[in-house]
Amino acid sequence: MGFLTWENDQLVSIASIERPPANALASQLIEEIDQWLTAVEHDPEVRSLLIHGKGRFFSAGADIKEFTQIEDGAAFSELARRGQRVFERMERFSKPIVASIHGAALGGGLELAMGCHIRYVSESAKLGLPELQLGLVPGFAGSQRLPRYVGFAKAAEMLLTSEPISGIEAVKWGLANQAFPEEEVFEKSKALALKMAQKSPISVKAALDLLQYAKTADFEEGVQKEADWFGEVFVSKDAKEGIDAFIQKRSPVFKGE
């Protein structure tokens, strides 16, 4: 039985985590996320992705029971590396990925959300890395991604105290993009994914690649890559369509060409 199902709706692939009661992030679920990415990566009918949790939570953490079945430290390290590779694939994916978070995104659940490009949260959601409460540390790159979003000082506080923050606080600190009442967050997330899906797939891919350069490269390398992409995108049919539509005061229809 699978823990992740997905369906495509108006250029958006919507994945649903369903593993009651807490949508715990088991190895199988991580593998199914990887399979989802493979299924939609080259599908021209999918231009953006959305992942959310069914039930009470987005994902309240890793599967602790699975941990108890592993005794070898090397096996734990490989488990961590597998999760890291999938979440890094998400971060570097050529189509935008939105996380719609309600209830809780804790531990591995938050690490999954941080692998997405954009996070919409419910105002009452709880986000955090509580691993130190169990005598552990994050394993899916949480200790490395969290400081990128909230800064070193706040990341140190969250990690070392294990205290979660609310959805409203997550927006304040830069961990989430926007917060909404819980009954609205999924529809708001879906609307955002659809809005991005209506952009040119070529320019979206370029923008996502450039954002990665902004994270990891020096400024000169990044601006050179921007110039390279600008030249490549400018000669596309989508760019001509976008410019023509602007001049003609109509909405563009992008085909990814």
Side-chain angles (χ1 to χ4, degrees):
M1 177 180 177
F3 302 131
L4 189 81
T5 57
W6 64 85
E7 60 180 0
N8 301 338
D9 182 12
Q10 299 184 80
L11 302 177
V12 179
S13 184
I14 302 172
S16 303
I17 303 170
E18 189 170 10
R19 191 171 184 242
N23 289 337
L25 207 63
S27 296
Q28 180 181 332
L29 177 52
I30 293 174
E31 176 60 29
E32 289 171 6
I33 292 171
D34 197 36
Q35 293 170 1
W36 171 47
L37 299 178
T38 298
V40 302
E41 185 169 17
H42 300 296
D43 186 344
E45 298 301 313
V46 173
R47 296 188 182 179
S48 66
L49 287 69
L50 169 64
I51 186 167
H52 74 115
K54 289 191 173 181
R56 297 171 53 203
F57 304 107
F58 175 75
S59 173
D63 186 352
I64 303 302
K65 289 183 178 179
E66 183 178 34
F67 289 176
T68 64
Q69 299 170 11
I70 304 173
E71 297 181 357
D72 180 68
F76 270 110
S77 295
E78 181 52 33
L79 175 70
R81 288 297 295 141
R82 287 201 301 270
Q84 289 170 3
R85 285 191 289 268
V86 173
F87 296 168
E88 183 174 359
R89 183 184 183 190
M90 295 176 73
E91 189 174 40
R92 296 181 178 276
F93 208 62
S94 60
K95 301 175 183 184
I97 306 175
V98 179
S100 178
I101 300 168
H102 73 287
L106 300 173
L110 180 57
E111 289 171 307
L112 165 61
M114 287 192 292
C116 300
H117 301 113
I118 294 176
R119 286 158 294 284
Y120 272 10
V121 297
S122 65
E123 296 167 342
S124 59
K126 297 298 181 184
L127 296 84
L129 296 176
E131 284 85 353
L132 268 67
Q133 286 188 163
L134 303 175
L136 302 172
V137 294
F140 300 143
S143 67
Q144 303 305 298
R145 284 198 176 92
L146 186 62
R148 294 182 185 178
Y149 294 114
V150 304
F152 181 85
K154 188 62 180 177
E157 178 185 342
M158 290 178 65
L159 185 59
L160 295 172
T161 66
S162 299
E163 291 294 327
I165 60 176
S166 70
I168 292 175
E169 289 174 308
V171 173
K172 176 182 177 181
W173 287 102
L175 184 55
N177 296 77
Q178 291 195 55
F180 303 95
E182 183 164 324
E183 65 272 15
E184 296 180 16
V185 65
F186 176 75
E187 289 303 324
K188 294 288 188 181
S189 301
K190 184 177 177 182
L192 172 69
L194 180 58
K195 183 175 184 179
M196 293 188 294
Q198 293 168 341
K199 301 293 188 290
S200 164
I202 298 172
S203 59
V204 167
K205 178 181 179 179
L208 289 172
D209 185 49
L210 290 171
L211 286 170
Q212 289 302 312
Y213 271 82
K215 285 182 179 179
T216 60
D218 65 38
F219 185 78
E220 289 302 321
E221 186 178 2
V223 295
Q224 178 60 57
K225 187 64 177 179
E226 181 181 86
D228 294 342
W229 266 120
F230 185 81
E232 186 172 339
V233 169
F234 189 81
V235 298
S236 68
K237 292 181 180 179
D238 275 0
K240 183 179 186 305
E241 165 65 11
I243 293 170
D244 288 348
F246 178 80
I247 293 172
Q248 297 165 14
K249 295 182 172 57
R250 60 176 175 84
S251 298
V253 179
F254 295 118
K255 298 180 179 180
E257 300 175 353

